[in-house]
Amino acid sequence: MTKASNLPAPPKAQQRPHSYSRHGYTIEDPYFWLKDQGYPKVDDADVLAYLKAENAYFEAAMAPHEQLVTTLFEEMKGRVKEDESSVPARDGDYLYWWAFKPGAQYRTWYRKPVAGGAEQVILDEAAEAEGKEYYRLGALEVSPDGRLGATLVDDNGSERFQLRIRDLATGKDIETVTEVGIGSPVWTSDSKGVVFTEVNDNWRSYRARYHRLGTAVAEDKTLYEETKELGFTVSLSRAQDRSLIFISTGDNATNEVRFVPAANPLAPPTLISARKPKRQYSVDAAHGKLWIVTNDEHVNFRLAEAEPAKPEAWKTVIPGSDRVYLRGATAYRDHLAISERVDGLDQLVLRSYAGKEERIPFKEASYSASFAGNAEFAPAAYRLSYSSMVTPQTVYDYHPSDDRLETLKVQEIPSGYDASQYATERLMLPTRDGKQVPVSIVYRKGFEKNGKGKLFLYAYGAYGYAIPPSFSTSRVSLLDRGYAYAIAHIRGGDDLGYGWFLDGKLDKRTNTFNDFVDAAKGLIAKGYTAPGKIGIQGGSAGGELMGAVANMNPELWGAVVADVPFVDVLNTMQDESLPLTPGEWPEWGNPITDKAAFEYIRSYSPYDQVKRQAYPPMLITGGLNDPRVTYWEPAKWAAKLRDTKTDDNLLLLKINMGAGHGGKSGRWDRLQEVAEAYAFVLTQIGDDTAK
């Protein structure tokens, strides 16, 4: 176990006077200077010197555990098939798939004719990433005629993507459309143009444009630009029958959708239904109708249909339900593929246009399942993805004609994995306000519930995003060292329906933190672990969760890993110049105009609530180029913790100087960071686990 006292003195950030006043409060912020005022360019010498000093301290603290990190990394790497590949999927005249070459960090993308013939490399990510510290392929969309590919590439982590058009026959890029693209481009029906979205200087996706191949970029036409709502972002999608291109604009609570014909994108966009506060809807098209999933009449959404000529006249097809949470619908030729969640578990339903429903059966009590995406409008079978906490990722084709699941691929674990040696449970644990929080837990058989066990607890709890009870090869390294691993499905996610999400946002945000603490206490009460024996991890908004619960109940945690943590909530929600802030007000509240929101956010904002007390060992990470959670949030938080906490437990800050929100981009580099996080937890909780 490494204590901070065994190391050279950690970096100590200067405190420089800075304050502001709002709603009758004066807020002191002596670490404000860590935000480079030239952001997104970061070249302040003092800022960079501090971040580099923290990284050097991280390296020094982890050096004694280099062998453990290496051991964990090799274990994790040994469970990953080096030449892993996807199951080929048909789109038109070709089968498409990706594969890793042995040792490669990045994928290579292939296709071959359905009628037979040689395979063709259409994009080699490894070659594209050569010599780059960071590389991320955001999209690869093949034109309807199969000749061209539209790619979106980010090579610094800023999530400003270069949109290029590639000749798939030669492998050469023939046009660069924009340097600030985002999302997924959509081809026109004639393969001669592409519709795309761009971000502005504040990294907000604000407009949809049309580029005709062979014309100057300066001649590109704007199809829609959001000018009314500062926090609304613009996104694109394509009807499954490929007849329409949808242009959606909205924030986390409200949206509206327009469409243009894929054959004529310059036609005036048709607005389906104008934005209404707190109403959301998504749209697909097939058989001359619009198919709409909306929460206008029920919190758990309904399915409606409408005529494109009368797009606002919605007729209910499936009404909203208190028990069944309708999450989405894709309109294929023969079926609507409907994703639901019932009592927190995924359900996949095929509904004929005559109204007959087929529910795809799964046998395990707890699992994660989804439609894996059929590119074609009229597939012979429906591609599915499935796993559980003990069952590796499995790809199926479901054949509705004979109600049959065909196994196409089971995730291979090269170093070996025996599912019979592990057990999983789904618990419902009580909270302080009378709710029951689902917790998915997995452990190696023989784990004793005698109150002496060690536990790794993970959660997110925001934006209606549910953490699925799915399989992880990396997690096995903890299970085989005697840990139980649990996922707390806390409010703020939509695990138990859209209302579960609403009960963890705005003025109910602290439910999320309380649920996590109460889940931990419930696991202690059931004998899974004890205070101080729990390692916890969360990222982004889940990193905010880590900061809040470290302030609230530091005695419970043996180690905390907070990745790209959103911890400077009060300051960020008052800075309209930041990329996400205006669009985040429906999630967190607007402390600029709303005194109650200001007071509430301040009451839980992890940075603002750091107090003079003992804290558990903490590993905090960030990315210098991160546009979502800016690097100074983890940096300021770490600096304030160092100055305030009363213990000598290890506090580490690691800032990726060439990456963004997702950390490093290569698959082995990402595994290395997982190994570092697990090694930190194992060594800090100690006992016999750090092997």
Side-chain angles (χ1 to χ4, degrees), residues 485-499:
Y485 188 105
I487 300 169
H489 305 287
I490 54 183
R491 280 173 281 187
D494 66 351
D495 307 69
L496 294 184
Y498 199 73

Side-chain angles (χ1 to χ4, degrees), residues 270-428:
T270 299
L271 176 63
I272 294 175
S273 183
R275 62 192 69 174
K276 297 177 182 178
K278 298 183 180 180
R279 185 191 67 171
Q280 294 179 310
Y281 65 97
S282 60
V283 191
D284 202 353
H287 300 296
K289 291 184 178 181
L290 302 175
W291 302 93
I292 300 159
V293 176
T294 179
N295 65 344
D296 62 345
E297 294 182 357
H298 196 285
V299 69
N300 278 336
F301 292 76
R302 66 173 173 129
L303 176 67
E305 63 178 49
E307 302 293 334
K310 299 179 180 179
E312 200 167 10
W314 297 356
K315 177 183 176 183
T316 296
V317 177
I318 300 175
S321 163
D322 292 341
R323 184 164 181 257
V324 178
Y325 172 34
L326 182 60
R327 301 183 60 239
T330 302
Y332 293 99
R333 183 190 66 187
D334 299 332
H335 299 93
L336 290 165
I338 298 171
S339 299
E340 301 174 344
R341 193 170 288 138
V342 179
D343 298 333
L345 284 177
D346 293 333
Q347 304 289 333
L348 305 181
V349 177
L350 293 176
R351 179 187 174 95
S352 74
Y353 291 95
K356 180 182 177 182
E357 291 192 355
E358 302 173 60
R359 191 171 301 275
I360 299 173
F362 301 109
K363 295 179 180 179
E364 291 184 276
S366 180
Y367 58 85
S368 174
S370 62
F371 288 106
N374 292 82
E376 297 199 305
F377 178 55
Y382 295 89
R383 185 67 49 87
L384 315 177
S385 179
Y386 176 92
S387 77
S388 76
M389 299 279 274
V390 298
T391 302
Q393 194 75 31
T394 304
V395 178
Y396 295 108
D397 265 355
Y398 178 71
H399 299 266
S401 58
D402 53 357
D403 190 25
R404 176 171 57 91
L405 275 174
E406 177 189 4
T407 302
L408 302 181
K409 178 182 177 182
V410 178
Q411 181 181 3
E412 184 179 333
I413 316 295
S415 61
Y417 171 75
D418 182 357
S420 69
Q421 297 303 305
Y422 303 87
T424 184
E425 296 181 70
R426 180 179 171 85
L427 308 174
M428 297 298 290

Side-chain angles (χ1 to χ4, degrees), residues 639-657:
K640 189 172 183 180
L641 281 165
R642 283 203 197 287
D643 184 66
T644 308
K645 70 192 189 80
T646 60
D647 58 88
D648 64 350
N649 288 327
L650 196 59
L651 171 63
L652 300 179
L653 173 65
K654 178 188 178 184
I655 300 292
N656 277 312
M657 303 300 280

Side-chain angles (χ1 to χ4, degrees), residues 29-250:
D29 189 4
Y31 300 107
F32 173 83
W33 68 271
L34 285 169
K35 174 189 175 183
D36 191 318
Q37 296 306 297
Y39 182 82
K41 187 176 182 180
V42 184
D43 58 4
D44 184 292
D46 289 350
V47 170
L48 291 173
Y50 172 69
L51 299 180
K52 290 174 181 176
E54 286 285 7
N55 283 345
Y57 185 70
F58 167 83
E59 295 292 341
M62 294 301 292
H65 312 303
E66 182 178 354
Q67 183 55 54
L68 174 60
V69 174
T70 299
T71 298
L72 288 165
F73 172 76
E74 292 298 334
E75 287 176 8
M76 294 172 186
K77 187 176 180 183
R79 299 188 196 103
V80 176
K81 192 167 185 268
E82 291 233 6
D83 57 350
E84 182 69 80
S85 62
S86 65
V87 178
R90 181 170 180 168
D91 187 1
D93 295 332
Y94 293 92
L95 293 170
Y96 292 86
W97 74 97
W98 56 257
F100 285 100
K101 295 174 182 176
Q105 293 257 39
Y106 300 94
R107 296 175 170 90
T108 301
W109 296 78
Y110 300 87
R111 72 177 180 184
K112 66 179 179 181
V114 173
E119 67 182 38
Q120 172 194 4
V121 174
I122 57 175
L123 183 70
D124 185 346
E125 288 187 48
E128 301 284 331
E130 186 70 33
K132 297 175 181 175
E133 185 175 352
Y134 184 93
Y135 176 88
R136 178 182 168 195
L137 179 66
L140 170 57
E141 296 291 336
V142 178
S143 60
D145 65 9
R147 293 180 52 252
L148 303 171
T151 64
L152 280 172
V153 171
D154 170 17
D155 59 10
N156 62 17
S158 67
E159 298 189 56
R160 291 169 172 86
F161 293 81
Q162 299 167 337
L163 172 58
R164 297 191 180 112
I165 306 301
R166 171 165 296 206
D167 184 325
L168 297 182
T170 66
K172 302 296 184 182
D173 290 331
I174 57 176
E175 294 189 37
T176 297
V177 179
T178 181
E179 301 282 342
V180 290
I182 202 164
S184 216
V186 180
W187 284 95
T188 56
S189 299
D190 63 4
S191 301
K192 294 181 179 179
V194 64
V195 179
F196 61 97
T197 50
E198 288 185 315
V199 296
N200 59 18
D201 290 342
N202 296 106
W203 192 73
R204 293 180 193 137
S205 177
Y206 73 112
R207 66 181 181 179
R209 309 200 80 199
Y210 169 59
H211 174 75
R212 190 73 173 172
L213 300 188
T215 65
V217 170
E219 298 176 17
D220 289 354
K221 306 296 184 183
T222 296
L223 305 186
Y224 177 80
E225 182 171 341
E226 179 56 45
T227 58
K228 297 177 183 177
E229 297 287 346
L230 187 62
F232 274 33
T233 58
V234 178
S235 61
L236 300 172
S237 61
R238 182 191 67 185
Q240 189 65 28
D241 70 0
R242 307 194 183 195
S243 63
L244 302 176
I245 297 172
F246 297 110
I247 304 169
S248 178
T249 180

Side-chain angles (χ1 to χ4, degrees), residues 429-437 491 510-521 549 552-553 556-557:
L429 299 177
T431 67
R432 63 196 69 185
D433 63 351
K435 301 292 184 182
Q436 296 279 317
V437 172
R491 280 173 281 187
T510 53
N511 284 339
T512 301
F513 315 139
N514 294 339
D515 282 358
F516 188 85
V517 170
D518 293 345
K521 290 180 176 179
V549 301
M552 292 164 56
N553 292 87
L556 289 178
W557 324 120

